[in-house]
Amino acid sequence: MSDRWYSKAVVYCLDIDSFADSDGDGCGDIRGLIGRLDYLSRLGINCLWLNPIHPSPGKDDGYDVSDFYNVDPRFGTLGDFAELLHQAANRGIKVIIDLVVNHTSDQHPWFVSARSSPDSPYRDWYVWSETAPEDRKQGMVFPGEQDETWSYDRTAKLWYYHRFYKFQPDLNIENPEVRAEIKKICAFWLQLGVSGFRMDAVPFIIEKTEPGSPTAPMDFDFLSDLRQHVQWRKGDAVLLAEANVEPEKLVTYFGDEGGSSNRIHMLFDFMLNARLVLGLARQDTEPIIDALRDSPKLPDGGQWATFLRNHDEIDLSRLTAEQRKDVLDQFGPDESMQLYGRGIRRRLAPMLGNDRRRIELAYALQFSLRGTPVIRYGEEIGMGENLELEGRYAIRTPMQWNNLPNGGFSSADPKQVIRPVISGGEYGFETLNATLQRHDPKSLLSWFERMIRTLRETPEIGGGTCTHVDVPAPRGILVHRADADTGTMLFVHNLGTEDGVVDLSSLAAEADFPNDVLADQKYPEPGEFDKISVAGYGYRWIRMRRTA
């Protein structure tokens, strides 16, 4: 991969503790992950995104960090992590890690010191108020699990700010020492060999919080400063940000008003994600067409990261009440499947009724849209969820490798495993695992490998333009194209159950030896493009032309 490698990447997201256990203690570890790198390489992954790896009390699945300069001892040592980076690089896989610097754990030495004395050098590293702020019952990220965003600390005799849980006090981004420390953390891990960071909760990192002011101003200059620092330390390092904000504000995260791409390299496309799910629920292309049409133009070098399922719930908060109801009726009808009144805590396969056609269609569509595709571990074999687990843990069950005890994830006693491996039924490890699918050339895993190989031959997707082809078509059929200096790709996806035909003869003159490079079945040659057929839940990736 060359410069702007992220535009050609396929990102695979995993929790180390849920992926592979090498020492039989019931918790996944770095050595276990190293042992599965060949699996990821064969799948076609070239970027690994690791959820929090740092020491933590574990009250929020590692997002409550107590030491930014080390690896959680459950996972191994810094030496193990350095070996992971080396072995991943040998296979052409870059590694990015979560950068969780909006807050720390309340057990972090910085906060322990800060609350202990007004003379502590760390007192101003956090956000305090002498009185109870009027807005302390506003802005909760986890409604139903949070009561407030300001809590009283009896030791400090002050109120402290926490956008998330009360055990996660927010760092004070206005303090130059905090900014310097964040840059130092980045430099440390870049020096060790990571290729960048997935930045958690970016809008909250840069908000200049003041007691009694629920609409804090944003300090975007810090993002420019951090981008410059990161790239001076490692020229091709990337910042991938989580910023679920209004569409009109998105471009500001990529660069300044002058149009420069001098802040974040990549943003998760939450708006497209919600519209994709809505389109799948309604079997209607209009929400997806709207999302493509409404996408702001990005500065040169800016890139979207697309996803269907990530490590959290599917966030439907930016849909209308009617749209949200349609999605929930289809994909999360039971209250146990929903979370925070805004999302779905399920994996995609069970959401789609484990219908192989729909699963293929959904991922073929995601991977064909502009941007860099991100896939959650286990999606490539169609894993299910465990709704008996709390909150987001429902989709954080151990990876199912084979039909040995614990699905081959761990040799520990099942009672000692970090979370129960899904067992029994159509999603149980006994019948659904990577090894069984490895031996089946028609399995979902084999399909993912083939699809990702095809993606490698279509650089127009990651690096070109993405345009809806506006021609008369049945409600469920989406036609779009990707153009770059390497050529043109045409994509036809059918979100509906009925077979359909679309007239694309207006594009025929552009074709040069057109052919299907990926399709759900064998279709007639495109010919004059006047009768492009596609089956219900079908898809076609058509190479229109290729330049030298």
Side-chain angles (χ1 to χ4, degrees), residues 217-499:
M218 303 292 218
D219 188 353
F220 286 98
D221 288 342
F222 177 62
L223 295 182
S224 303
D225 191 26
L226 185 64
R227 161 77 174 261
Q228 184 179 50
H229 174 78
V230 163
Q231 298 223 252
W232 271 113
R233 290 303 178 104
K234 188 171 186 176
D236 65 349
V238 68
L239 297 175
L240 167 58
E242 177 192 51
N244 191 359
V245 299
E246 294 80 4
E248 62 270 16
K249 296 181 179 178
L250 288 169
V251 175
T252 314
Y253 286 83
F254 286 103
D256 57 30
E257 293 179 358
S260 298
S261 181
N262 60 353
R263 291 172 182 162
I264 300 298
H265 300 82
M266 302 175 68
L267 277 182
F268 286 106
D269 198 340
F270 284 94
M271 185 62 71
L272 177 62
N273 174 252
R275 300 292 179 85
L276 273 172
V277 175
L278 177 60
L280 291 169
R282 288 180 169 177
Q283 299 185 9
D284 184 3
T285 62
E286 282 304 315
I288 303 167
I289 294 169
D290 290 345
L292 295 177
R293 182 196 61 220
D294 297 340
S295 290
K297 180 176 172 52
L298 302 186
D300 187 35
Q303 182 84 345
W304 297 112
T306 68
F307 63 99
L308 283 171
R309 288 303 291 115
N310 62 7
H311 61 300
D312 293 332
E313 73 279 5
I314 295 177
D315 190 344
L316 307 174
S317 59
R318 299 201 179 278
L319 298 180
T320 66
E322 180 184 2
Q323 291 170 336
R324 196 156 49 243
K325 182 180 184 303
D326 286 349
V327 174
L328 291 175
D329 285 349
Q330 286 293 317
F331 299 146
D334 296 333
E335 193 172 331
S336 65
M337 300 171 177
Q338 303 168 19
L339 195 62
Y340 307 133
R342 67 174 183 234
I344 299 174
R345 63 186 200 108
R346 306 185 70 194
R347 281 193 178 259
L348 192 73
M351 282 172 54
L352 298 179
N354 207 19
D355 186 329
R356 173 67 180 276
R357 297 176 305 156
R358 293 192 80 185
I359 296 169
E360 283 189 22
L361 164 71
Y363 278 106
L365 178 55
Q366 180 213 338
F367 275 61
S368 71
L369 293 171
R370 80 285 184 278
T372 298
V374 180
I375 180 175
R376 178 73 170 157
Y377 80 93
E379 288 293 298
E380 73 276 13
I381 61 172
M383 276 177 56
E385 73 270 342
N386 183 352
L387 295 175
E388 293 181 2
L389 299 179
E390 253 183 66
R392 294 168 165 177
Y393 288 112
I395 60 167
R396 299 177 183 180
T397 57
M399 180 66 180
Q400 296 166 204
W401 292 108
N402 51 49
N403 54 11
L404 292 174
N406 299 318
F409 162 72
S410 172
S411 60
D413 184 299
K415 295 179 181 178
Q416 303 301 317
V417 173
I418 184 168
R419 282 180 284 280
V421 181
I422 296 176
S423 178
E426 60 184 324
Y427 301 105
F429 72 86
E430 297 89 348
T431 55
L432 191 154
N433 62 65
T435 300
L436 286 176
Q437 295 197 20
R438 165 66 65 242
H439 296 300
D440 180 1
K442 296 182 179 180
S443 68
L444 183 61
L445 176 61
S446 296
W447 177 84
F448 259 99
E449 291 175 354
R450 187 166 64 255
M451 188 261 289
I452 293 174
R453 285 198 304 270
T454 305
L455 183 70
R456 291 274 172 271
E457 299 176 353
T458 55
E460 297 84 2
I461 294 176
T465 61
C466 177
T467 312
H468 168 236
V469 178
D470 191 5
V471 295
R475 175 182 175 185
I477 295 182
L478 174 69
V479 183
H480 70 283
R481 60 186 290 169
D483 295 272
D485 55 9
T486 53
T488 297
M489 288 291 300
L490 181 68
F491 306 96
V492 184
H493 292 85
N494 189 351
L495 280 62
T497 58
E498 300 296 324
D499 296 355

